[in-house]
């Protein structure tokens, strides 16, 4: 006799977990099944486009595998990688390093660092718009969101007054993403100093996601403002700086990231022990790939010049298009490979994005997938594709806007 099937319910905590970037894939699949090619300006994977992993780091992993480095690694990471990351911290002017650990991508650093911090009823300030993993992990932990606004009128800097409003005695930490996904903005030194001041006053730990710190773009005068690590500005403030190989070294599929704990030694001690309990519980990060960390951080950086040259040209093309297209305005991106234009339309940006895929086969991600101020609409562009592809995609978006909304 067949057994009656009982539905296995998913945890209620997951109801608010969304990953708009990948959720749009169903709409794209419809269009692909109809025989169309979709122009993918939605996923931040450089390897989908004309970017290549530096060969010497591939060799390092290959050698590690051949040399039998295929068992479990030490939970905090292999010693030579940890040392290389300490060297990187020194180059970022982080002087009070208390701990370094290697993870399976910054994604795992985010998960471990948030999990090790908060208890039910507490909260962590996260930016809005944000990289959606932060809210997803907090939902998974059953922690209510406490988002602070980034101010579009101030080049997407964190809005301090909003942070002050959202702080409560139950706030344990604050996340900054610098360079930012999805806005492409950089935090100014004075903003970092102000956040440090708030963290000191309210006993917060700062999580500074700096995964794009080597992908810095010049301003309109051609000047490059160097990236400033939060921990270098506030050596006393408890901080975990997140870094990784996915973007700077063009290996998102390897899943290698890390955390650098800095700040007053006594202040971070117990928290760091908590992180290590979780590091041990999940055994280790990918082992052979960790052998690429030292050659990546200490070896030739030539690929970065090529990446920055391509990104600059594609950013400029994107910015020009935004400036010349009715209903669109955009703060020029200064880092990473994202632009986050505002769009003036009489319907939601989610409908805009879905219809754009259906009608013009161009895929961008709606602002509501990242968070935005009520009453505003945005979409995120990944400007990794070559100039020809971007030009074609932008022509499609402009035509769609004209046909659907008029100028
Ligand atoms: C701001 C930010 N943090 C973290 C990640 C995740 O990086 P990883 O590939 O190291 O898990 C991403 C990926 O796009 C990101 O944009």
């Amino acid at each position: 006799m067949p057994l009656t099937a009982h539905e296995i319910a998913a945890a209620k905590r997951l109801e608010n977990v969304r990953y708009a970037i990948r959720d749009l894939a169903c709409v794209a699949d419809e269009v692909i099944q109809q025989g169309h090619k979709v122009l993918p300006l939605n996923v931040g994977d450089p390897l989908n486009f004309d970017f290549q992993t530096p060969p010497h780091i591939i060799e390092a992993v290959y050698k590690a595998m051949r040399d039998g480095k295929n068992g479990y690694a030490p939970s905090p990471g292999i010693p030579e990688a940890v040392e290389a990351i300490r060297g990187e911290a020194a180059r970022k002017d982080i002087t009070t390093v208390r701990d370094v650990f290697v993870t399976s991508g910054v994604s795992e650093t985010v998960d471990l660092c948030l999990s090790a911090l908060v208890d039910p009823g507490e909260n962590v300030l996260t930016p809005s718009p944000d990289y959606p993993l932060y809210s997803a992990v907090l939902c998974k932990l059953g922690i209510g969101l406490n988002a602070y606004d980034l101010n579009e009128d101030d080049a997407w800097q964190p809005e301090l007054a909003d942070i002050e409003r959202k702080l409560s005695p139950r706030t344990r930490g604050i996340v900054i993403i610098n360079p930012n996904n999805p806005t492409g903005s950089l935090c100014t030194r004075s903003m970092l100093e102000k956040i440090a001041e708030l963290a000191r006053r309210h006993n917060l730990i700062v999580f500074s996601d700096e995964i794009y710190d080597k992908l810095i773009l010049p301003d309109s005068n051609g000047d490059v403002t160097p990236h400033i690590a939060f921990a270098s500005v506030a050596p006393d403030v408890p901080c975990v700086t997140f870094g990784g190989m996915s973007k700077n070294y063009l290996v998102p599929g390897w899943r290698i990231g890390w955390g650098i704990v800095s700040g007053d030694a006594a202040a971070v001690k117990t928290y760091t022990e908590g992180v290590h309990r979780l590091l041990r519980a999940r055994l280790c990060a990918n082992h052979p790939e960790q052998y690429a960390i030292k050659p990546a951080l200490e070896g030739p950086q030539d690929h970065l010049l090529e990446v920055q040259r391509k990104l600059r040209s594609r950013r400029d093309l994107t910015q020009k298009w935004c400036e010349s297209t009715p209903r669109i305005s955009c703060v020029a991106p200064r880092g990473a490979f994202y632009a986050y234009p505002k769009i003036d339309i009489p319907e939601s940006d989610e409908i805009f994005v879905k219809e754009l895929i259906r009608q013009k086969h161009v895929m961008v991600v709606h602002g509501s997938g990242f968070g935005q101020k009520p009453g505003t609409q945005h979409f995120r562009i990944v400007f990794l594709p070559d100039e020809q592809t971007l030009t074609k995609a932008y022509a499609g978006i402009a035509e769609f806007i004209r046909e659907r909304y008029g100028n």
Side-chain angles (χ1 to χ4, degrees), residues 19 21 43-45 103-110 130-134 176-182 209-212 242-247 251-258 336-338 380:
Y19 202 76
I21 304 164
V43 178
D45 183 349
T103 54
S104 295
V106 171
S107 301
E108 195 190 26
T109 329
V110 170
D130 85 329
Y131 176 62
L133 176 65
Y134 287 93
I176 52 181
I177 304 176
N178 177 37
N180 190 267
N181 177 5
D209 184 336
E210 301 179 8
I211 188 170
Y212 299 99
F242 301 166
M245 300 270 289
S246 293
K247 316 288 179 171
V251 285
W254 285 4
R255 315 306 304 125
I256 290 290
W258 51 79
F337 33 68
Y338 308 105
R380 190 192 72 171

Side-chain angles (χ1 to χ4, degrees), residues 4 27 29 32 41 89 92 114 144-145 162 197 221 284 336 357 407:
T4 319
V27 187
D29 283 347
I32 292 164
L41 276 59
K92 283 164 73 73
L114 291 173
L145 288 188
D162 196 43
E197 205 35 56
N221 302 321
C284 66
I357 301 172
N407 279 340

Side-chain angles (χ1 to χ4, degrees), residues 317-325 328 379 381 394-395 397-398:
L317 189 153
T318 302
Q319 194 58 26
K320 261 202 204 117
W321 175 77
C322 287
E323 283 164 10
S324 62
T325 304
I328 291 209
F379 61 98
I381 293 171
Y394 295 154
I397 304 177

